[in-house]
């Protein structure tokens, strides 16, 4: 974001800072981090995500979004632990793991690292071939599964931002994926087999997470994953462009969606989408969850 001489809307000083068009605010470098933490605190309270008595498991990839929420929750003195999943992707995984490790050591945050291959001992490339799904999809599926298993009743925090949420809604509207659309909310409540998942950055843009990391000197991994799906990139770009041209529009769209989602999809309809996997108990839309189905295919593949 461009640094300009501005009159800060909070401390009123004439200082170097930024124009945050979507909030109609000008903030100086000194005031921005507190503003960012305050917005997170307000989101946590508004959606009753968790309290200072809960143990929170933060899923950290090493990117700017999850690093910024990890740092903000630490500053706000929440009881946090970090979990990093090592996807075993050449260079990318090694570098991001190192960033997470160094940060957690410095900030005294307990960290657990799990290798994706601990769940299924094959490379993502092989799993993609066996499942006939793109690498990005298989990786995401396994990450969500491991995270849920690891959380065991604790609340999971992810670094999903407003940009992520709006991209996800638009994409699932274009393809009318009702099952996914019905479950979009800043808090996903704990159910049998599923841990409570929360997104404290759901009202914060990626411009802001980047700014927060830069001002508070938090290192993050800034390279795109080589397997990132094109469709994901496309929707992220569209959302960025919409917000750039119409500042504040995506937050309005997201809040509007949250107001309507319960009307669009009644509770009973939501329940019918999900049931327990017969094998592992994970919530799924069919008899066996996608991971158990993949494991079956892997067995067939290994035994010819
Ligand atoms: P993404 O699907 O890459 O947009 O990531 C969304 C969120 O999932 C991130 O903000 C993290 O909270 C979490 N996440 C992604 N990758 C990892 C990982 N390798 N280990 C732990 N959490 C992750
Ligand atoms: Zn299963």
């Amino acid at each position: 974001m461009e640094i300009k001489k501005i009159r800060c809307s909070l401390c009123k000083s004439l200082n170097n800072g930024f124009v945050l068009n979507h909030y109609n605010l000008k903030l100086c470098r000194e005031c921005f981090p507190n503003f960012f933490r305050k917005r997170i605190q307000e989101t946590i309270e508004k959606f009753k995500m968790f309290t200072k008595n809960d143990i929170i498991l933060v899923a950290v990839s090493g990117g700017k979004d999850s690093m910024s929420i990890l740092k903000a929750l630490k500053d706000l003195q929440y009881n946090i632990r970090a979990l990093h999943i090592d996807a075993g992707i050449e260079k990318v995984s090694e570098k991001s793991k190192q960033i997470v490790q160094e940060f957690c050591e410095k900030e005294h945050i307990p960290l657990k690292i799990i290798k994706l291959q601990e769940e299924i001992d094959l490379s993502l490339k092989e799993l993609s071939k066996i499942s006939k799904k793109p690498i990005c999809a298989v990786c995401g599926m396994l990450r969500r599964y491991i995270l849920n298993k690891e959380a065991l009743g604790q609340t999971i925090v992810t670094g999903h931002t407003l940009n992520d949420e709006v991209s996800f809604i638009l994409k699932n509207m274009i393809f009318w994926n009702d099952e996914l659309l019905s479950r979009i909310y800043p808090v996903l409540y704990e159910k049998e087999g599923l841990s409570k998942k929360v997104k404290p950055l759901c009202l914060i843009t990626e411009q802001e997470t980047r700014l927060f990391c830069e001002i508070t000197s938090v290192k993050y991994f800034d390279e795109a994953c080589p397997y990132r799906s094109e469709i994901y990139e496309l929707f992220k770009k569209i959302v960025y462009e919409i917000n750039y041209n119409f500042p504040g529009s995506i937050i309005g769209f997201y809040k509007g969606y949250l107001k309507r989602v319960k009307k669009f999809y009644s509770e009973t309809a939501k329940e019918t989408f999900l049931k327990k996997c017969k094998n592992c108990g994970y919530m799924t839309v069919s008899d066996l969850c996608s991971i158990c189905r993949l494991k079956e295919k892997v067995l067939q593949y290994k035994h010819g």
Side-chain angles (χ1 to χ4, degrees):
M1 207 182 295
E2 197 189 342
I3 298 183
K4 285 184 182 166
K5 261 269 179 291
I6 50 108
R7 166 103 33 217
C8 175
S9 311
L10 293 179
C11 72
K12 311 292 178 206
S13 67
L14 196 60
N15 212 331
N16 281 335
F18 327 89
V19 181
L20 296 173
N21 277 327
H22 55 291
Y23 297 126
N24 208 3
L25 276 180
K26 293 176 185 144
L27 292 181
C28 70
R29 279 181 69 91
E30 281 71 46
C31 285
F32 179 77
N34 270 339
F35 170 79
F36 183 88
R37 291 183 199 103
K38 197 162 155 258
R39 281 195 52 82
I40 289 176
Q41 180 68 49
E42 283 166 0
T43 310
I44 293 170
E45 286 169 15
K46 180 171 177 198
F47 295 102
K48 299 190 173 54
M49 291 182 169
F50 47 83
T51 69
K52 299 238 157 117
N53 296 324
D54 300 318
I55 299 175
I56 311 302
L57 191 65
V58 188
V60 201
S61 64
K64 62 185 186 324
D65 306 329
S66 52
M67 291 304 286
S68 74
I69 187 65
L70 188 63
K71 167 78 174 140
L73 291 179
K74 172 77 187 173
D75 294 347
L76 290 164
Q77 297 178 333
Y78 279 99
N79 194 352
I80 52 171
R81 276 138 215 256
L83 178 72
H84 176 73
I85 298 166
D86 176 354
I89 300 170
E90 328 76 54
K91 290 187 196 143
V92 172
S93 295
E94 213 32 62
K95 281 195 217 161
S96 37
K97 185 171 77 183
Q98 209 179 340
I99 287 174
V100 175
Q101 264 173 329
E102 279 173 15
F103 181 80
C104 288
E105 242 167 65
K106 189 173 135 232
E107 297 274 343
H108 308 290
I109 300 169
L111 165 69
K112 180 161 181 184
I113 298 176
I114 302 181
K115 280 189 190 309
L116 210 83
Q117 276 69 32
E118 275 175 36
E119 192 61 49
I120 306 183
D121 189 20
L122 279 182
S123 72
L124 280 172
K125 275 188 190 151
E126 285 170 297
L127 291 176
S128 159
K129 211 172 87 185
I130 295 170
S131 64
K132 300 192 179 67
K133 287 190 173 128
I135 290 183
C136 185
V138 181
C139 180
M141 211 167 84
L142 270 163
R143 276 195 273 122
R144 284 189 292 276
Y145 189 78
I146 294 173
L147 195 58
N148 187 67
K149 206 160 90 173
E150 203 53 38
L152 273 182
Q154 295 170 71
T155 298
I156 303 172
V157 164
T158 60
H160 290 98
T161 60
L162 176 64
N163 299 63
D164 289 323
E165 293 302 277
V166 174
S167 309
F168 193 71
I169 296 171
L170 284 185
K171 181 183 146 201
N172 289 307
M173 278 183 166
I174 294 289
F175 297 106
W176 284 123
N177 189 332
D178 289 303
E179 188 229 325
L180 294 179
L181 284 171
S182 73
R183 282 192 273 146
I184 291 171
Y185 211 69
V187 179
L188 295 177
Y189 292 98
E190 189 179 352
K191 269 194 210 153
E192 270 180 284
L194 281 185
S195 300
K196 182 175 172 183
K197 263 196 187 159
V198 300
K199 302 168 187 171
L201 294 176
C202 64
L203 300 176
I204 289 180
T205 62
E206 288 181 8
Q207 258 180 329
E208 294 164 80
T209 58
R210 185 183 298 278
L211 207 54
F212 181 74
C213 287
E214 282 168 9
I215 297 178
T216 55
S217 305
V218 171
K219 263 207 224 160
Y220 58 90
F221 185 70
D222 202 17
E223 288 166 41
C225 174
Y227 301 123
R228 194 54 118 183
S229 82
E230 278 173 27
I231 187 152
Y232 172 92
E233 296 290 353
L234 175 67
F235 278 95
K236 289 289 287 255
K237 196 166 149 238
I238 292 171
V239 168
Y240 176 83
E241 294 284 333
I242 294 174
N243 204 42
Y244 183 80
N245 286 288
F246 306 102
S249 57
I250 62 168
I251 198 162
F253 172 76
Y254 183 62
K255 286 182 174 172
Y257 187 79
L258 296 185
K259 263 193 215 155
R260 288 165 179 84
V261 64
K262 288 193 175 124
K263 246 191 291 172
F264 290 167
Y265 301 102
S266 67
E267 281 301 312
T268 40
K270 255 200 273 181
E271 296 302 323
T272 56
F273 288 130
L274 288 179
K275 52 188 174 182
K276 269 182 149 191
C277 167
K278 277 188 181 161
N279 188 38
C280 73
Y282 189 51
M283 294 301 252
T284 172
V285 283
S286 42
D287 286 346
L288 275 186
C289 73
S290 49
I291 301 298
C292 287
R293 271 181 284 150
L294 180 56
K295 284 181 179 169
E296 279 192 346
K297 282 187 190 160
V298 168
L299 275 180
Q300 285 166 5
Y301 171 82
K302 282 189 175 166
H303 299 294

